[in-house]
Amino acid sequence: MTASFPRAEVVIDLEALRHNVTLLAERAPGADLMAVVKADAYGHGALPVARAAIEAGATWLGTCSLSEALDLRHGGVTTRLLSWLDVPTADFAAGIEADVDLAASSVDELRRIADAAGQVGKQARVHLKIDTGLSRNGCPPAEWPALVEAAAAEPRVDVVAIWSHLACADEPGHPSVDAQAKRFSEAYDIARAAGLEPMRHIANSAAVLTRPDLHFDLVRTGIAMYGLNPVPQQENLRPVMSFRSTVALTKRLPAGESVSYGHTWTAERDTTLALVPVGYGDGVPRSLSGRMDVWLGGRRRPVAGRVCMDQLMVDCGADAPAVGEEVVLFGAGEAGAPTAREWADKLGTIDYEIVTSMYRPRVRRRYLGGPA
Ligand SMILES: *Cc1c(COP(=O)(O)O)cnc(C)c1O
């Protein structure tokens, strides 16, 4: 136990990741699978996740920024790679040089990409994005015919795909999904009429699990690959990330003594406290003070008093955990242990945000089930 005595660590189970990728690929048998690894793979580490996803059958990778895409290329990843959202000053030429597919939402963006392709002396592979109703990036339907015509007439770009993103796929039956699908189909007809023969992609994780009619040529899976289920129905996904620490100190506390800043918690009986050396400096939200449990010694135990920057105290009652014993802050939830979803529900957010915020300099990352 002492040999691996982490102060705080995020453990990434690549075997679970591969299981999830396999499950998702089986659910979309006619489509290629893009592993979405933006934001450092939702906090799981872009390179190891990309490699494991490819081993399990992913044939595409997706990133938000060009710099994320280039980092993957510099890490030796040669898989097809789409980077979809950047600023006008981004180095598109470097992306084209490194075989990164780029997205365009406007004629203006298309021109910048084409100019970069001209500089490099190589066609740019472009995915034209239609805004079908999320109203974020993507080309509005009114401007779509002009974008499609400009792209069809531009020899410096190769239009690989048209694509879009769904607003409410995590609420199966939401009428916006069909409305977006209809606009997507209209956009496709316009592209075909302009002489293009693009692939189509619109499905995120939730649509992979609930809308086989929207799988088309390629699906873009993020959250479900990390084992977190975005839809109400039960799915056999395995959470990939767990957040762990160890007991650093234990002490007996007499009844009537109070614990941590503000003395918000007072022992009603003599008890044993376990000090766990993680706090909001390590990703434990202070706003979970007084309403979180940890998994320690085979059961859930409540955190006593405020979560501090560097430490929290666990009320262990009559039990006396050993110094060095493992503490799970959140994980796969076996036997009722806390999960990222439980944190998200308590905090009024989604589990995407919990795992993505776990990249902290003080928290060590450890990989299971594959090369680190
Ligand atoms: C993040 C993202 C995805 C993945 O969504 P999940 O809900 O995590 O599966 C797919 N497409 C785009 C454009 C995204 O930004």
Side-chain angles (χ1 to χ4, degrees):
M1 171 85 34
T2 7
S4 62
F5 195 124
R7 193 183 161 278
E9 67 173 0
V10 153
V11 180
I12 308 295
D13 182 352
L14 294 174
E15 197 48 54
L17 184 102
R18 284 188 288 261
H19 162 88
N20 300 330
V21 170
T22 303
L23 180 147
L24 292 164
E26 282 169 4
R27 294 290 282 276
D32 275 346
L33 187 135
M34 175 189 287
V36 177
V37 294
K38 65 192 181 191
D40 207 23
Y42 295 35
H44 295 67
L47 258 181
V49 163
R51 292 191 184 117
I54 292 162
E55 279 163 26
T59 48
W60 283 76
L61 297 169
T63 67
C64 171
S65 73
L66 200 45
S67 68
E68 292 173 315
L70 294 174
D71 284 348
L72 288 167
R73 286 289 185 250
H74 294 148
V77 175
T78 54
T79 305
R80 277 306 272 285
L81 171 47
L82 170 64
S83 165
W84 53 68
L85 177 60
D86 230 301
V87 289
T89 49
D91 189 357
F92 293 118
I96 296 162
E97 199 112 54
D99 268 325
V100 176
D101 289 28
L102 300 169
S105 291
S106 67
V107 172
D108 204 43
E109 266 180 353
L110 182 78
R111 292 269 173 264
R112 276 195 296 271
I113 294 169
D115 288 347
Q119 281 167 35
V120 176
K122 175 174 158 191
Q123 254 194 337
R125 283 197 299 259
V126 172
H127 299 229
L128 300 178
K129 186 165 197 189
I130 170 80
D131 179 2
T132 53
L134 182 58
S135 307
R136 230 171 48 171
N137 68 338
C139 176
E143 292 165 28
W144 181 251
L147 175 58
V148 159
E149 270 152 39
E154 175 53 76
R156 295 172 296 178
V157 309
D158 171 20
V159 178
V160 173
I162 72 156
W163 68 300
S164 194
H165 195 39
L166 296 165
C168 309
D170 54 348
E171 297 173 56
H174 194 287
S176 69
V177 182
D178 284 336
Q180 287 196 261
K182 181 161 176 291
R183 287 180 179 168
F184 193 54
S185 150
E186 289 160 3
Y188 181 65
D189 291 343
I190 292 169
R192 292 299 302 250
L196 299 174
E197 292 182 4
M199 300 190 334
R200 279 172 284 180
H201 53 97
I202 191 170
N204 57 5
S205 296
V208 169
L209 297 169
T210 59
R211 292 294 299 251
D213 59 317
L214 300 183
H215 291 170
F216 298 112
D217 305 295
L218 175 64
V219 297
R220 306 187 306 266
T221 56
I223 198 72
M225 202 174 66
Y226 303 105
L228 305 174
N229 183 1
V231 295
Q233 80 215 22
Q234 194 66 33
E235 295 288 352
N236 182 26
L237 296 165
R238 287 170 51 191
V240 172
M241 178 187 288
S242 58
F243 179 23
R244 296 159 189 268
S245 182
T246 37
V247 174
L249 179 77
T250 61
K251 60 174 66 174
R252 288 292 291 167
L253 192 77
E257 289 293 319
S258 298
V259 174
S260 194
Y261 291 125
H263 273 183
T264 57
W265 187 93
T266 300
E268 286 170 2
R269 43 166 172 53
D270 293 355
T271 190
T272 297
L273 291 179
L275 186 157
V276 184
V278 290
Y280 59 82
D282 309 284
V284 186
R286 183 175 179 276
S287 54
L288 285 180
S289 297
R291 51 193 185 124
M292 69 176 283
D293 296 331
V294 299
W295 188 260
L296 167 54
R299 49 170 291 197
R300 291 176 79 104
R301 300 178 191 277
V303 169
R306 293 231 171 104
V307 172
C308 308
M309 187 184 295
D310 312 310
Q311 48 188 302
L312 54 81
M313 304 302 290
V314 178
D315 180 17
C316 298
D319 300 338
V323 166
E325 197 164 336
E326 182 179 71
V327 176
V328 177
L329 283 300
F330 67 74
E334 299 101 337
T339 60
R341 178 62 169 269
E342 177 180 325
W343 278 26
D345 289 346
K346 285 180 177 170
L347 293 164
T349 184
I350 51 177
D351 42 19
Y352 291 71
E353 186 182 357
I354 303 298
V355 291
T356 304
S357 343
M358 284 313 303
Y359 183 58
R360 309 261 167 178
R362 224 160 52 170
V363 179
R364 175 174 93 177
R365 260 193 200 145
R366 180 158 62 91
Y367 289 90
L368 301 178

